[in-house]
Amino acid sequence: MSENKDWSQYWSQGHKTSFGSSFKGCYEGVLKQSWLKVFSTFNDGDKVLDLCTGNGSLPRLAYESMSNFSEINFSGVDYATVDSDDTFLKLSNVDFKFDCNIEELPFDSLQFDYVISNYGIEYSNLEKSLTEVSRVLKPLGKATFVCHVNSSRIFLENANELTLLTYLLKSDGLINCLDSLVTALDEKAVTQDTAAINEISMSAEQYRNELNKQLSDALDEFGIDFHQSDFVSFLKFLLNKNTENKKDKLALYKQEAVSHQVRLKALCKAALNYEALPKTIDLFNSVGLEIHNHEMISDESGIVAIQIWALKIV
């Protein structure tokens, strides 16, 4: 759970889920339906804890879909620092705690009837976080987790994106080559000396040729994935003659690319290994959480997650 700064930056942009602009509001489709089934098991007066809540996608989904939402107490915790100036967080039955490590939950034992997490708990040290889940759950309390799994299309898509992004961010890669070109163009724009202008123009032409070569290499290596990447769209925008402050815009793009790379690495590392699932089940059992069901969540495009249900053994 070492990506606090990068996730804090991400959530501060207003995203409601960990998939950026993929969803306009909270989760949709099969993910939404899987959670609505979970919500239907909540009873009036229950205390529910949402781990790695981010901007509160699950409590917000409950708010939108449950007629008895106000009768249930929702707590949310997240390792990131999230702006809490939000009317939703001022509801009397909602309590979020940020900058909070789920491996050391700030709650007394036996507090909650239900613990939930959507693409969250797997980012932690499971031995520590599951021990904490067991500690704060009441006897016969329930836990439901939706987790990344290494056989899902989401994992595979993000792993491919990580490979491309790592390629772009190489020290001698496309982004730094573009930086050199933009720097040369900026210098040429403000230089008055003719000899210096000619020298800078030669450098800029060299950088432009190198950029074109690397673009061709990237297209050969990644094909349509590169052609449809946001880098190509950004490149067209940046080199447009009407785009001002190119250097600053490129710096912001690179900053977000580096942060996104950190998040992608964390996702790929966190995804549960389906082949090693028996070991994960043993880990649940070792802390008093008995898994009574697990299944893949799939849509028309393939697997999107694994869902795990567990019961706190008395």
Side-chain angles (χ1 to χ4, degrees):
M1 304 290 289
S2 60
E3 300 83 24
N4 180 298
K5 174 177 67 68
D6 299 283
W7 279 110
S8 297
Q9 175 185 336
Y10 175 82
W11 294 123
S12 71
Q13 296 170 9
H15 301 300
K16 293 296 184 291
T17 76
S18 58
F19 293 99
S21 58
S22 297
F23 300 102
K24 294 180 180 179
C26 294
Y27 291 106
E28 300 168 359
V30 292
L31 284 174
K32 177 178 180 179
Q33 294 307 313
S34 67
W35 281 113
L36 292 184
K37 291 179 182 178
V38 175
F39 297 162
S40 69
T41 68
F42 295 168
N43 298 309
D44 290 358
D46 275 354
K47 296 179 67 176
V48 179
L49 173 62
D50 180 25
L51 302 179
C52 305
T53 193
N55 273 335
S57 61
L58 292 185
R60 292 176 195 273
L61 181 59
Y63 175 73
E64 294 172 0
S65 57
M66 296 180 65
S67 60
N68 63 333
F69 174 83
S70 62
E71 303 302 320
I72 298 167
N73 296 296
F74 285 89
S75 296
V77 295
D78 200 277
Y79 195 55
T81 302
V82 181
D83 183 8
S84 59
D85 186 18
D86 185 330
T87 56
F88 176 77
L89 301 185
K90 294 178 172 61
L91 296 174
S92 60
N93 63 320
V94 172
D95 178 31
F96 282 14
K97 299 181 185 299
F98 298 114
D99 196 19
C100 176
N101 190 342
I102 67 170
E103 296 164 12
E104 298 177 3
L105 290 171
F107 303 106
D108 292 335
S109 300
L110 311 178
Q111 289 293 301
F112 294 96
D113 300 281
Y114 226 122
V115 177
I116 57 178
S117 176
N118 193 82
Y119 296 131
I121 193 172
E122 67 271 31
Y123 285 83
S124 68
N125 179 323
L126 283 178
E127 185 173 357
K128 293 181 179 180
S129 57
L130 289 176
T131 297
E132 283 292 271
V133 169
S134 182
R135 180 182 67 80
V136 301
L137 271 174
K138 297 176 182 178
L140 299 181
K142 299 175 183 178
T144 299
F145 307 131
V146 168
C147 301
H148 289 294
V149 63
N150 65 344
S151 55
S152 75
R153 64 171 176 80
I154 290 175
F155 171 83
L156 296 174
E157 288 168 0
N158 280 276
N160 289 339
E161 185 178 0
L162 175 60
T163 300
L164 173 57
L165 192 55
T166 301
Y167 178 91
L168 294 174
L169 286 167
K170 291 189 302 182
S171 60
D172 59 347
L174 269 162
I175 290 179
N176 282 340
C177 182
L178 179 59
D179 191 300
S180 298
L181 174 59
V182 168
T183 299
L185 293 175
D186 281 354
E187 289 177 354
K188 180 181 178 181
V190 299
T191 301
Q192 302 296 322
D193 182 80
T194 302
I197 290 176
N198 290 335
E199 184 176 347
I200 294 172
S201 295
M202 291 178 61
S203 295
E205 189 62 24
Q206 290 177 348
Y207 292 133
R208 194 184 299 276
N209 290 337
E210 175 61 21
L211 182 67
N212 287 332
K213 177 183 179 301
Q214 290 202 30
L215 287 170
S216 178
D217 291 345
L219 188 58
D220 288 342
E221 183 161 348
F222 296 99
I224 192 66
D225 288 342
F226 176 71
H227 185 69
Q228 295 179 343
S229 69
D230 69 348
F231 175 78
V232 173
S233 299
F234 176 76
L235 177 66
K236 294 176 181 177
F237 160 76
L238 192 70
L239 296 183
N240 187 296
K241 64 180 181 179
N242 295 321
T243 300
E244 299 178 348
N245 302 317
K246 288 180 170 61
K247 189 78 172 177
D248 291 341
K249 288 181 172 62
L250 179 56
L252 287 174
Y253 179 87
K254 184 175 181 179
Q255 179 184 4
E256 173 53 29
V258 170
S259 183
H260 188 45
Q261 182 186 41
V262 171
R263 297 193 300 270
L264 288 174
K265 285 181 178 179
L267 185 156
C268 293
K269 181 180 178 181
L272 299 184
N273 185 334
Y274 186 72
E275 291 73 25
L277 191 59
K279 292 184 178 179
T280 303
I281 293 174
D282 288 343
L283 181 56
F284 272 75
N285 290 333
S286 71
V287 298
L289 295 172
E290 184 179 84
I291 294 180
H292 59 86
N293 194 17
H294 61 81
E295 67 179 17
M296 295 297 188
I297 300 176
S298 302
D299 61 16
E300 63 278 0
S301 300
I303 297 169
V304 297
I306 185 171
Q307 189 167 25
I308 299 173
W309 293 266
L311 183 70
K312 166 73 174 290
I313 303 170
V314 179

